[in-house]
Amino acid sequence: MAPSSTPLERLAKAGVAVWLDDLSRERLRTGNLAELVERGVVGVTTNPTIFATAISAGDAYDDQLRELAGTSVEDAVFRITTDDVREAADVLRPVYDRTDTQDGRVSIEVDPRLARDTDATIETAKKLWATVDRPNVFIKIPATVEGLPAITAVLAEGISVNVTLIFSIERYGAVLDAFQAGLEQAAANGHDLAPIASVASFFVSRVDTAIDPLLDEIGTPQAAGLRGSAAIANARLAYGLFLEVTASDRWKALAAAGAYPQRPLWASTGVKDKAYPDTLYVDELVVAHTVNTMPEATLEAVADHGGDGSDTVTGTQEAAESVIARLRELGIDIDDVTRKLEEEGVSKFTDSWDQLLAKVDEGLSGAAAQTAPDAR
């Protein structure tokens, strides 16, 4: 009798690409990332918070900090992060080749302080792409108003993009438009569309984190019944828009030219409220042609007791619309909530970037002091 499949295998069979929302040099050096790939992880996402945490923990970066002593802190951060992403991309390259360029991807983010600067975002994205110099990398660009034209321009150069910090259906529609415009321009520029990949990172748990306290303040049974439902409903509506766009004549023309769809990527899938199942934002968003990037704790929870891999999204559009309508009846406008979440998201990543700069600066200063003549 054949052994039963694991939860991660069931997700893969359902068309969900399992990615890890974490990266560190320690994970690379110990072979942990390679082990996770063997278990079914087929991609990696990073962000400023992840790098700040990685550099703050242990001594894995000490040698490179000594090597970079005397370098500006911005240049040192650029070198450290691109080195890690390049090495991770090499670990995942067999997955990239096996999945016809769709998975085996590693994401690296443009400096979040540039989120409102279109031109600087474009130039930094090009520099990151050239420096990492691996085909299986995504350059992360936030879905701010200023980021949208940058997404189009970078894709037009043949650069793969992970669009991050998407919270609202309206903004997601603009992202899908920017993606298609970028591919159209790339084709006009003579690029092969097949290797130009993109995912749209739609943030999930933060929506419930913002809306649940508002429901608690209302305090009615109707409000209590909506706790933990907004984020999943919002994501399911996003998937409905994805299906609508990929059925359009505009997309069909791009697909005929060799393009792959911009898959929805469920981000922020770690459960913040312990009252909810720890696999909630994975089990309730199982559907084909998606990515779920998980922090390690969520990944291990799913591997241990995840669902059966059944599609939990198809056919839920009406119910999802009902959730959003009932929130509005209670005075909660999800558009206002998601607008604030975008602003907070940019601010949080900027704060994390500042923490990363401070930590690297501290390491550079310590390395310089150790090598100074009077330190001997």
Side-chain angles (χ1 to χ4, degrees), residues 201-216:
S201 294
F202 202 88
F203 280 52
V204 184
S205 69
R206 293 190 193 183
V207 175
D208 279 342
T209 301
I211 288 180
D212 280 356
L214 301 178
L215 293 168
D216 293 341

Side-chain angles (χ1 to χ4, degrees), residues 140-181:
K140 291 180 82 171
I141 297 176
T144 57
V145 170
E146 298 83 358
L148 294 172
I151 292 161
T152 296
V154 170
L155 286 164
E157 296 283 340
I159 297 171
S160 296
V161 175
N162 176 343
V163 183
T164 188
L165 288 177
I166 308 172
F167 295 95
S168 74
I169 304 300
E170 179 183 10
R171 185 57 55 82
Y172 178 43
V175 167
L176 285 162
D177 181 67
F179 164 65
Q180 291 176 99

Side-chain angles (χ1 to χ4, degrees), residues 13-85:
K13 186 175 181 180
V16 179
V18 174
W19 291 10
L20 175 70
D21 193 27
D22 190 56
L23 180 64
S24 69
R25 192 156 297 177
E26 186 71 15
R27 196 181 289 282
L28 290 164
R29 287 183 174 177
T30 61
N32 173 262
L33 179 59
E35 292 171 4
L36 290 173
V37 171
E38 289 180 5
R39 292 174 56 193
V41 169
V42 294
V44 170
T45 49
T46 69
N47 60 46
T49 304
I50 286 169
F51 278 123
T53 301
I55 293 174
S56 297
D59 59 2
Y61 296 89
D62 288 358
D63 288 345
Q64 188 168 27
L65 287 168
R66 283 190 287 271
E67 176 191 331
L68 294 170
T71 304
S72 74
V73 64
E74 286 82 6
D75 287 346
V77 166
F78 188 88
R79 172 77 178 276
I80 289 168
T81 55
T82 54
D83 281 358
D84 276 5
V85 167

